[in-house]
Amino acid sequence: MGMEEMISPADAKGSSPGKDQQAAGVGILLQIMMLVLSFVLGHVLRRHRFYYLPEASASLLIGLIVGGLANISNTEHSIRAWFNFHEEFFFLFLLPPIIFQSGFSLSPKPFFSNFGAIVTFAILGTFIASVVTGLLVYLGGLMFLMYRLPFVECLMFGALISATDPVTVLSIFQELGTDMNLYALVFGESVLNDAMAISLYRTMSLVNSRDSSGQNLFVLFVRFLETFVGSLSSGVAVGFTSALLFKYAGLDIDNLQNLECCLVVLFPYFSYMLAEGLGLSGIVSILFTGIVMKHYTYSNLSEKSQHFVSAFFHLISSLAETFIFIYMGFDIAMEQHSWSHVGFIFFSILFIVVARAANVFSCAYLVNSVRPAHRKIPVKHQQALWYSGLRGAMAFALALQSVHDLPEGHGQTIFTATTAIVVLTVLLIGGSTGTMLEALQVVGDGPDVGSPGESLEGDNDFIVPNNGYIAPSYDEETSSANKIKMKLKEFHKSTTSFTALDRNYLTPFFTSQNEDEEDEHDEPRPSSRRAGFQGHT
């Protein structure tokens, strides 16, 4: 991953080049040791099924301990120069492989069968959570309950703190087994939620920097849609371009496999940098590039290249994800925090709990109002979805960026509150997730994977409990509901229309093998801890 990118030699002015090189070597060695320790400890914890300290929590704790020891030692200033958490390094080098792997390892059947609900939770729900959090923080400041921030800055805080990172929940889902549709909701919401939170934060940051809070809300909404839709379109376009290239270039022969693998690895970063260069969201772009490349490009690769690509993206995603939590823990211990505003931290935690509830339960009510009775989201699943809203690296990086975007004191207060929220959710809530999920009886109560008759449409990589809801059926007769419900039902039906379009036109055009051949050779594929979906398209 090129860890040298985060090093800031300029911080060590006046020292000789030899000492700079030695300090850099010690810093990188320490990072590698923490990575090795984190992977070994995570393996031991999983092997002994110790869910009170998930792997992400263990990585964060390792970073906190090492950072704390460095903070109290005499080498604080020399070590600190090599361990600052740079948000540019995070967004350019660590986050892209994680987001791409999320889309690349996604199995389309459970995702698109719940696509309407996922979009509702990720887009509308994140918007609700951001606005509710921002309004409550602003009102709390007006009532002198907490440190007062301007309204637009409150909305920026609401946007960045609405970015969820349920790594712990998804890993426990994989260990204990859970309802396939619940997994799809949590996974899909977490992936699209990151992109939505970044887009909202950047929109509010733009409003704040231009002092245009009185600007027409419709104009702001259109600007947000331009960013989101433009990013999505660029990502899909790059994915389709890669599919056509590997279909017609004839690279699937033995002596060209190295070239084939190199090109596949470069396309995701090309998508990300293209979107960033156009002023769009690279996160949204690379996510949909991953989805399209897995669905179309993957089948155009040679068999050896397919194995290499799957293993490679899984490898760098796992490394980046573990390194993020270690790096985040180390920087939390080393960073200067504004702990004087304890009330802001306390009430922020309460407000995000309320906002998460408003997000989940209002969107679940909306989804259930248009779903047939056998497909309604159970209350237990809604509660699990509400509890799975942990905050992680995305919120931390955006909060660190807010230190530069906001006036002195305001950004530092937001960063300190976000740090406290991340540590609390990852360590405390993450550690109690297994107990909570078992108490709700949403994990570990389904048939074994691969049991005859228990799989759904051939996807036996997912457990479907007896108390869960099943795959969508679009043969249900539409009741005489109001016009809004009718429109939403039509949106659900459009999924089958897209499936027919994909099967009859898109797949034959962009791939070199038909869908029947893919289904016959369907095998589970590896996935990262965050992106647990497995299986071919």
Side-chain angles (χ1 to χ4, degrees):
M1 288 296 296
M3 295 182 183
E4 294 86 350
E5 293 293 335
M6 67 188 146
I7 295 176
S8 304
D11 293 336
K13 293 181 179 179
S15 57
S16 63
K19 290 185 178 180
D20 288 346
Q21 185 176 359
Q22 182 182 11
V26 172
I28 294 176
L29 175 63
L30 185 58
Q31 296 160 32
I32 294 175
M33 290 174 61
M34 288 190 291
L35 277 172
V36 172
L37 178 60
S38 178
F39 280 116
V40 172
L41 181 59
H43 170 71
V44 173
L45 292 174
R46 286 197 308 271
R47 185 173 182 180
H48 291 84
R49 297 182 178 272
F50 188 78
Y51 300 122
Y52 297 102
L53 186 64
E55 189 172 349
S57 303
S59 302
L60 182 66
L61 202 57
I62 289 173
L64 282 170
I65 294 173
V66 175
L69 292 175
N71 215 358
I72 63 177
S73 67
N74 296 327
T75 59
E76 173 188 352
H77 297 289
S78 61
I79 293 182
R80 182 183 177 84
W82 307 100
F83 283 91
N84 286 328
F85 189 100
H86 300 298
E87 61 271 16
E88 295 87 0
F89 176 72
F90 172 81
F91 283 111
L92 292 178
F93 295 98
L94 297 180
L95 189 61
I98 297 175
I99 299 298
F100 178 80
Q101 173 67 9
S102 298
F104 193 75
S105 63
L106 181 147
S107 183
K109 290 181 181 179
F111 180 81
F112 286 108
S113 67
N114 293 280
F115 186 72
I118 290 172
V119 170
T120 302
F121 282 111
I123 307 299
L124 178 61
T126 304
F127 179 79
I128 292 174
S130 301
V131 173
V132 170
T133 303
L135 286 175
L136 290 177
V137 170
Y138 182 70
L139 293 176
L142 291 179
M143 298 173 63
F144 302 102
L145 296 176
M146 56 198 300
Y147 185 71
R148 182 174 178 178
L149 295 175
F151 181 66
V152 176
E153 294 182 10
C154 291
L155 291 179
M156 291 175 65
F157 175 67
L160 70 89
I161 206 63
S162 298
T164 60
D165 190 10
V167 175
T168 299
V169 179
L170 294 178
S171 64
I172 293 178
F173 277 2
Q174 289 177 296
E175 293 289 336
L176 300 180
T178 186
D179 179 85
M180 179 186 64
N181 295 279
L182 174 61
Y183 194 108
L185 288 177
V186 175
F187 174 85
E189 188 223 2
S190 69
V191 172
L192 295 180
N193 164 274
D194 284 349
M196 179 70 177
I198 290 178
S199 300
L200 282 175
Y201 176 83
R202 290 182 176 177
T203 302
M204 291 297 103
S205 179
L206 184 64
V207 171
N208 185 65
S209 62
R210 294 185 179 180
D211 195 21
S212 55
S213 56
Q215 192 174 0
N216 191 338
L217 291 178
F218 177 75
V219 176
L220 295 177
F221 180 72
V222 170
R223 183 178 300 164
F224 168 76
L225 282 183
E226 287 177 351
T227 301
F228 193 85
V229 176
S231 304
L232 186 153
S233 302
S234 66
V236 171
V238 171
F240 281 146
T241 302
S242 68
L244 291 175
L245 173 65
F246 289 104
K247 178 179 179 180
Y248 294 109
L251 300 176
D252 55 344
I253 55 179
D254 290 338
N255 59 341
L256 291 178
Q257 284 182 357
N258 288 338
L259 175 61
E260 186 180 39
C261 294
C262 290
L263 290 175
V264 173
V265 171
L266 289 176
F267 264 101
Y269 262 108
F270 174 78
S271 172
Y272 185 88
M273 296 305 175
L274 175 64
E276 291 292 329
L278 295 175
L280 303 173
S281 173
I283 300 301
V284 180
S285 179
I286 198 172
L287 169 65
F288 284 93
T289 298
I291 295 175
V292 173
M293 287 186 67
K294 180 58 182 289
H295 194 48
Y296 300 105
T297 308
Y298 188 83
S299 60
N300 295 333
L301 304 177
S302 62
E303 184 177 356
K304 291 183 178 179
S305 296
Q306 288 180 349
H307 289 296
F308 169 80
V309 167
S310 297
F312 177 78
F313 286 131
H314 175 236
L315 170 66
I316 62 173
S317 175
S318 298
L319 282 172
E321 191 172 2
T322 304
F323 185 72
I324 282 175
F325 279 97
I326 293 175
Y327 206 17
M328 188 166 55
F330 191 95
D331 198 73
I332 287 173
M334 300 286 288
E335 195 71 34
Q336 297 295 326
H337 296 282
S338 176
W339 297 109
S340 57
H341 304 294
V342 180
F344 188 92
I345 300 173
F346 175 75
F347 285 103
S348 295
I349 294 173
L350 293 182
F351 292 159
I352 66 169
V353 171
V354 174
R356 179 68 180 173
N359 167 2
V360 171
F361 296 114
S362 62
C363 290
Y365 176 81
L366 182 62
V367 171
N368 285 340
S369 66
V370 299
R371 279 190 167 186
H374 70 281
R375 294 207 63 237
K376 293 185 183 298
I377 304 176
V379 176
K380 291 182 178 181
H381 290 186
Q382 297 178 33
Q383 294 171 345
L385 190 62
W386 168 73
Y387 200 85
S388 64
L390 284 74
R391 270 61 177 179
M394 181 64 69
F396 182 82
L398 289 175
L400 192 58
Q401 185 173 326
S402 71
V403 175
H404 307 291
D405 295 339
L406 299 179
E408 184 177 357
H410 294 187
Q412 197 66 37
T413 301
I414 288 177
F415 176 67
T416 301
T418 304
T419 297
I421 292 169
V422 168
V423 173
L424 177 68
T425 56
V426 172
L427 294 182
L428 299 184
I429 298 180
S432 62
T433 298
T435 303
M436 185 278 302
L437 295 177
E438 290 178 343
L440 290 176
Q441 299 179 348
V442 295
V443 293
D445 54 354
D448 292 335
V449 176
S451 298
E454 299 292 354
S455 62
L456 176 64
E457 298 181 357
D459 276 333
N460 57 3
D461 297 309
F462 301 94
I463 297 177
V464 185
N466 298 328
N467 63 343
Y469 47 100
I470 61 176
S473 174
Y474 300 101
D475 296 329
E476 299 288 331
E477 297 182 0
T478 50
S479 60
S480 57
N482 55 45
K483 292 183 178 180
I484 297 180
K485 289 186 177 181
M486 293 290 291
K487 292 292 183 183
L488 290 172
K489 288 178 183 288
E490 289 297 324
F491 176 75
H492 279 286
K493 289 184 178 180
S494 66
T495 305
T496 50
S497 301
F498 174 78
T499 302
L501 174 67
D502 175 55
R503 181 176 62 251
N504 297 327
Y505 299 100
L506 296 180
T507 298
F509 182 76
F510 287 105
T511 65
S512 55
Q513 66 182 61
N514 58 43
E515 188 176 358
D516 294 334
E517 290 176 345
E518 292 185 32
D519 291 339
E520 289 175 2
H521 298 88
D522 200 19
E523 296 178 358
R525 308 303 306 170
S527 62
S528 69
R529 289 175 298 146
R530 171 177 179 142
F533 285 147
Q534 297 179 338
H536 273 281
T537 56

